[in-house]
């Protein structure tokens, strides 16, 4: 993962770089650092705390040439030595890297120099130093020896070179000079147009001139793209991003519906005729919304399967030229999902990206795009974007079965009446000491259980599992005792009685049951849900469970926005 940036400017670029890193922090926050040129020498400042700490440490620093990095550790622990930027053994070249050099061990063995860190990136900067020619020539020839992925920015003797394979990288002019970053939202300064680097393309950046090169070192011409203006006028300000974002769900669902009813999203699609099969591919929370989507499609008679991207890529799936393949991703940058999209594009399948980020990599790969209008998500735990994904997949299933028009009133009614429901404080106090937590449900409620369990693990570090309620008796019931809390979700009418029998089996073994349901039931501690049409219940029921994870996390004194070991965008395989 990681985020990188580079600036070559007329005025001091240090503050620009630090500002960009603050925006890129969602890509990893294990450590951060910058290198800059000062009186012909490279100076480096790093922090193991956060970007604000880096800002303090660099307040008095000035330079016209700066590279910066925010890290999600892959090779080597979270230490200052492993933090980027990395310097070559002569200290003449500094590099920041996002990606993984897979053959770094072999390369390292062949380089005759001393290494300071355990990283693959330090191998790359020394490999570059060992090559011959100008900086751009050295970077390009080193890249040929490298297996794996990279977006890099490299400085030497006042020169700045960037390049990429798989990991994203964008470059631009702005009124103060030139900039390169992992994400267009991290351009600081007045950028109007930007350039997308494709795989195995490189650029040499001078204050007022950017030259592009292909992997053979030949100069190439590239067309600029207009920088989209992303305005978000509905931000709710609460003490954490996660809390604000859960609370924004109502507004963003309304916005999403408005966009789908008023704009040309559906008429712009170029879909195969008479779709009989839809396959959805995604990771993490987006995988759960994909599972929900598959249920909606099946309800409309469309055969549907769901795949975890990291498994699909190396699997043995039999492809169907008439099927539609949907890639669900909040960021549109997730490496595993992107790899699947590229693979299926090569095989000429019909692709659709369901993303929350305009201009993202996934949108550029897929011929069709369905946006979710959730606004930017900052918290690592995805909440409002998940609800929007589920909502858009439901709307799309109605569109495909030509039932959208008939359901518009129902959709509007839902977005008007739906209420955000926090987790009951007294109940939280009563159950917060359980260390063994199961989430159970049947059918769509089981998918909600999966998502609720992921949220809890992700931010409160409490081990929990989600299991279809009917499956408990086939093994997992052995774990149930008086130390077990079972949170059961019940919104599916046709399996309600079956679920209640499953809960009796838990209670008979001493397990504590909390029922999250819109049905009446006096037998269990209950979190009563607002009653809505069954297909909206996955959204209604996940909200108090997102809050459950959040409140548990707060009770334990953790920061929900930056859980340990994770990052918002997972841009490595
Ligand atoms: O950006 P994406 O939706 O592709 O991200 C996929 C997962 O990495 C993401 O949903 C992850 O599971 C979340 N942190 C969960 O809250």
């Amino acid at each position: 993962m990681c985020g990188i940036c580079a600036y070559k400017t007329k005025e001091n670029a240090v503050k620009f770089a630090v500002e960009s890193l603050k925006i890129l922090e969602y890509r990893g926050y294990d450590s951060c650092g910058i290198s800059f040129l000062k009186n012909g020498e490279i100076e480096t400042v790093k922090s193991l705390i956060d970007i604000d700490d880096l800002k303090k440490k660099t307040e008095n620093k000035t330079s016209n040439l700066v590279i910066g990095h925010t890290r999600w550790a892959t090779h080597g622990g979270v230490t200052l030595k492993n933090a980027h930027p990395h310097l070559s053994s002569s200290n003449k070249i500094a590099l920041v890297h996002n990606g993984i050099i897979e053959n770094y061990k072999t390369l390292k063995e062949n380089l005759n120099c001393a290494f300071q860190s355990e990283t693959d990136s330090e191998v790359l900067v020394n490999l570059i130093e060992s090559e011959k020619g100008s900086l751009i020539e050295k970077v390009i020839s080193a890249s040929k020896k490298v297996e794996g992925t990279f977006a890099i920015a490299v400085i030497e003797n006042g020169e700045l070179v960037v390049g990429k394979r798989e990991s994203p990288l964008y470059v631009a002019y702005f009124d103060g000079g030139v900039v390169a970053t992992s994400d267009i939202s991290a351009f600081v300064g007045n950028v109007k147009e930007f350039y997308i680097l494709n795989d195995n393309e490189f650029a040499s950046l001078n204050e007022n001139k950017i030259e592009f090169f292909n992997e053979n070192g030949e100069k190439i011409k590239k067309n600029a793209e207009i920088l989209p203006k992303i305005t978000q006028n509905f931000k709710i300000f609460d003490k954490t991003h996660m809390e604000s974002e859960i609370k924004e769900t109502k507004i963003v669902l309304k916005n999403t519906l408005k966009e789908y009813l008023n704009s040309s999203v559906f008429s712009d699609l170029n879909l195969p005729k008479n779709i009989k099969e839809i396959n959805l591919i995604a990771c993490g929370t987006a995988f759960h919304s994909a599972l929900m989507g598959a249920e909606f499609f099946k309800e409309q008679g469309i055969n549907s399967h769901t795949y975890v991207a990291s498994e699909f890529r190396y699997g043995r799936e039999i492809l169907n030229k008439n099927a539609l393949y949907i890639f669900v991703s909040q960021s549109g940058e997730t490496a595993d999902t992107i790899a699947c999209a590229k693979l299926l594009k090569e095989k000429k399948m019909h692709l659709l990206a369901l993303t929350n980020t305009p201009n993202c990599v996934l949108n550029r790969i897929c011929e069709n795009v369905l946006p979710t209008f959730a606004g930017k998500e900052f918290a690592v735990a995805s909440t409002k974007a998940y609800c929007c994904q589920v909502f858009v997949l439901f709307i799309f299933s109605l569109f495909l079965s030509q039932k959208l028009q008939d359901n518009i009133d129902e959709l509007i009614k839902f977005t008007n009446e739906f209420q955000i429901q926090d987790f009951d404080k007294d109940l939280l106090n009563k159950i917060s000491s359980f260390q063994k937590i199961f989430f159970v449900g049947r059918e769509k409620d089981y998918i909600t259980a999966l998502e609720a369990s992921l949220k809890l693990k992700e931010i409160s570090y409490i081990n929990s599992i989600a299991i279809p309620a009917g499956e408990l008796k086939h093994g997992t019931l052995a774990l149930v005792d008086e130390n077990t809390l079972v949170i059961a979700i019940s919104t599916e009418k046709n399996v309600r009685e079956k679920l209640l029998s499953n809960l009796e089996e838990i209670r008979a073994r001493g397990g504590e049951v909390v029922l999250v349901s819109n049905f009446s039931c006096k037998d269990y501690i209950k979190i009563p849900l607002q009653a809505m049409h069954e297909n909206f219940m996955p959204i209604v029921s996940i909200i108090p469970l997102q809050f459950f994870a959040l409140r548990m996390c707060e009770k334990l004194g953790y920061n929900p926005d930056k859980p340990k070991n994770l990052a918002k965008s997972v841009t490595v395989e």
Side-chain angles (χ1 to χ4, degrees):
M1 270 104 79
C2 311
I4 69 167
C5 68
Y7 281 88
K8 195 163 185 184
T9 56
K10 295 184 199 98
E11 288 168 24
N12 182 18
V14 172
K15 59 178 191 308
F16 291 136
V18 174
E19 224 178 296
S20 285
L21 291 181
K22 182 82 194 157
I23 300 166
L24 293 169
E25 214 178 4
Y26 74 89
R27 304 175 68 90
Y29 38 79
D30 286 333
S31 65
C32 52
I34 59 167
S35 281
F36 50 94
L37 199 71
K38 194 74 203 169
N39 305 325
E41 303 274 315
I42 294 174
E43 247 189 73
T44 299
V45 182
K46 298 179 181 182
S47 169
L48 286 180
I49 304 173
D50 59 15
I51 308 288
D52 292 335
D53 180 56
L54 183 71
K55 191 174 176 184
K56 272 185 224 138
K57 286 182 172 165
T58 54
E59 239 152 32
N60 303 322
K61 307 286 183 190
T62 56
S63 172
N64 297 341
L65 178 56
V66 187
I67 56 174
H69 189 270
T70 180
R71 179 171 189 241
W72 184 79
T74 58
H75 296 63
V78 180
T79 63
L80 274 182
K81 282 201 167 152
N82 290 333
H84 293 224
H86 288 287
L87 268 69
S88 63
S89 57
S90 70
N91 287 336
K92 292 206 169 100
I93 305 182
L95 161 142
V96 286
H97 170 217
N98 163 214
I100 290 180
I101 308 300
E102 285 165 5
N103 59 337
Y104 81 103
K105 283 193 180 141
T106 322
L107 294 170
K108 196 170 182 175
E109 277 161 21
N110 297 328
L111 286 167
N112 188 19
C113 56
F115 290 90
Q116 309 298 321
S117 76
E118 301 147 86
T119 65
D120 51 340
S121 312
E122 194 190 5
V123 174
L124 181 55
V125 69
N126 281 296
L127 178 68
I128 292 170
E129 179 155 78
S130 72
E131 300 293 325
K132 298 216 161 28
S134 64
L135 183 59
I136 184 79
E137 287 167 341
K138 287 194 282 196
V139 167
I140 292 174
S141 54
S143 75
K144 291 200 170 121
K145 298 180 180 163
V146 157
E147 287 163 20
T149 60
F150 60 84
I152 48 171
V154 191
I155 56 173
E156 181 188 33
N157 288 333
E159 278 188 78
L160 170 61
V161 164
V162 300
K164 74 144 251 170
R165 183 188 300 156
E166 304 285 341
S167 309
L169 197 60
Y170 308 92
V171 294
Y173 293 101
F174 69 110
D175 39 16
V178 288
V179 49
T181 68
S182 302
D183 178 346
I184 54 171
S185 69
F187 287 139
V188 174
N190 186 16
V191 172
K192 291 197 174 75
E193 292 182 333
F194 68 102
Y195 299 86
I196 301 167
L197 279 197
N198 294 322
D199 287 345
N200 298 308
E201 287 183 353
F202 302 84
S204 167
L205 282 78
N206 283 300
E207 257 168 49
N208 41 26
K209 190 172 176 204
I210 303 174
E211 289 179 301
F212 296 99
F213 298 85
N214 63 18
E215 60 195 315
N216 301 319
E218 294 154 352
K219 280 195 186 160
I220 51 170
K221 275 194 104 147
K222 290 188 75 73
N223 294 325
E225 312 270 328
I226 307 287
L227 189 74
K229 285 262 168 295
I230 300 161
T231 46
Q232 186 164 316
N233 49 13
F234 53 79
K235 188 93 191 112
I236 289 178
F237 291 97
D238 230 302
K239 57 179 187 295
T240 61
H241 284 302
M242 186 170 172
E243 177 146 5
S244 315
E245 287 163 11
I246 300 174
K247 290 180 177 167
E248 282 165 16
T249 303
K250 184 176 165 90
I251 310 171
V252 301
L253 289 177
K254 261 192 164 189
N255 287 354
T256 300
L257 183 61
K258 209 161 104 200
E259 293 288 342
Y260 273 81
L261 296 184
N262 298 341
S263 73
S264 56
V265 189
F266 285 139
S267 51
D268 287 349
L269 297 178
N270 178 20
L271 300 174
K273 296 254 167 316
N274 195 13
I275 300 173
K276 291 268 184 301
E277 180 178 321
I278 295 184
N279 297 311
L280 300 104
I281 300 167
C283 304
T285 285
F287 173 71
H288 297 155
S289 57
L291 286 171
M292 208 61 94
E295 294 306 308
F296 297 142
F297 295 131
K298 283 188 264 184
E299 260 162 32
Q300 302 306 334
I302 302 170
N303 195 12
S304 196
H305 307 280
T306 313
Y307 302 93
V308 168
S310 54
E311 289 294 309
F312 181 88
R313 191 179 174 189
Y314 299 105
R316 294 172 194 86
E317 295 314 322
I318 296 162
L319 302 180
N320 176 356
K321 280 229 181 298
N322 301 316
L324 177 66
Y325 289 83
I326 302 184
F327 300 88
V328 187
S329 174
Q330 187 284 129
S331 63
E333 276 206 277
T334 302
D336 288 320
T337 313
I338 288 171
C340 296
K342 283 185 174 166
L343 187 85
L344 294 191
K345 189 174 185 162
E346 268 169 34
K347 305 218 183 268
K348 303 207 171 358
M349 298 295 136
H350 297 283
L351 312 184
L352 184 148
L354 174 60
T355 58
N356 192 42
T357 313
N359 244 291
C360 62
V361 179
L362 210 47
N363 288 4
R364 293 202 295 273
I365 298 171
C366 298
E367 67 211 88
N368 295 296
V369 176
L370 285 183
T372 45
F373 296 90
K376 199 166 170 68
E377 255 191 355
F378 291 91
V380 167
S382 185
T383 55
K384 60 175 180 170
Y386 169 77
C387 292
C388 273
Q389 286 160 355
V390 170
F391 195 45
V392 168
L393 285 164
F394 178 58
I395 297 174
F396 188 47
S397 73
L398 294 176
F399 167 78
L400 289 177
S401 56
Q402 293 170 354
K403 292 184 185 150
L404 184 55
Q405 281 308 321
D406 297 344
N407 281 281
I408 288 178
D409 290 347
E410 195 69 49
L411 288 161
I412 295 175
K413 183 170 177 272
F414 164 64
T415 57
N416 283 339
E417 292 180 5
F418 161 64
Q419 281 162 18
I420 301 292
Q421 182 182 349
D422 203 334
F423 196 86
D424 185 87
K425 252 198 201 129
D426 296 335
L427 179 57
L428 187 83
N429 290 334
K430 216 168 142 198
I431 61 176
S432 61
S433 56
F434 280 98
Q435 282 303 305
K436 208 165 21 162
I437 302 182
F438 293 1
F439 291 89
V440 303
R442 299 186 72 133
E443 304 203 341
K444 290 205 276 300
D445 292 330
Y446 164 56
I447 303 169
T448 304
L450 285 170
E451 176 56 10
S453 172
L454 178 64
K455 284 292 90 94
L456 184 69
K457 282 184 279 226
E458 191 177 20
I459 58 169
S460 75
Y461 319 135
I462 294 172
N463 193 4
S464 80
I465 57 169
I467 182 159
E471 184 64 12
L472 270 168
K473 56 187 176 293
H474 297 290
T476 312
L477 200 58
L479 291 173
V480 172
D481 55 22
E482 58 287 353
N483 298 316
T484 313
L485 171 67
V486 178
I487 299 186
I489 302 129
S490 173
T491 71
E492 297 262 9
K493 209 169 171 190
N494 64 327
V495 282
R496 185 182 159 212
E497 297 305 326
K498 303 267 173 228
L499 180 101
L500 292 177
S501 310
N502 300 142
L503 299 187
E504 282 308 308
E505 292 153 14
I506 292 164
R507 202 149 58 172
R509 272 98 193 153
E512 178 77 88
V513 175
V514 170
L515 185 63
V516 182
S517 179
N518 49 324
F519 303 123
S520 58
C521 174
K522 291 200 178 69
D523 295 344
Y524 298 99
I525 305 171
K526 211 182 133 195
I527 299 178
L529 295 176
Q530 193 183 2
M532 289 278 176
H533 185 286
E534 196 163 286
N535 278 323
F536 301 124
M537 289 315 289
I539 296 174
V540 176
S541 55
I542 194 60
I543 302 281
L545 296 171
Q546 290 171 343
F547 270 117
F548 173 60
L550 175 64
R551 301 302 179 218
M552 286 291 263
C553 162
E554 287 170 345
K555 216 171 172 39
L556 294 164
Y558 304 127
N559 176 356
D561 291 339
K562 286 186 183 175
K564 66 178 182 199
N565 305 340
L566 302 178
K568 182 73 183 157
S569 281
V570 184
T571 60
V572 292
E573 240 197 282

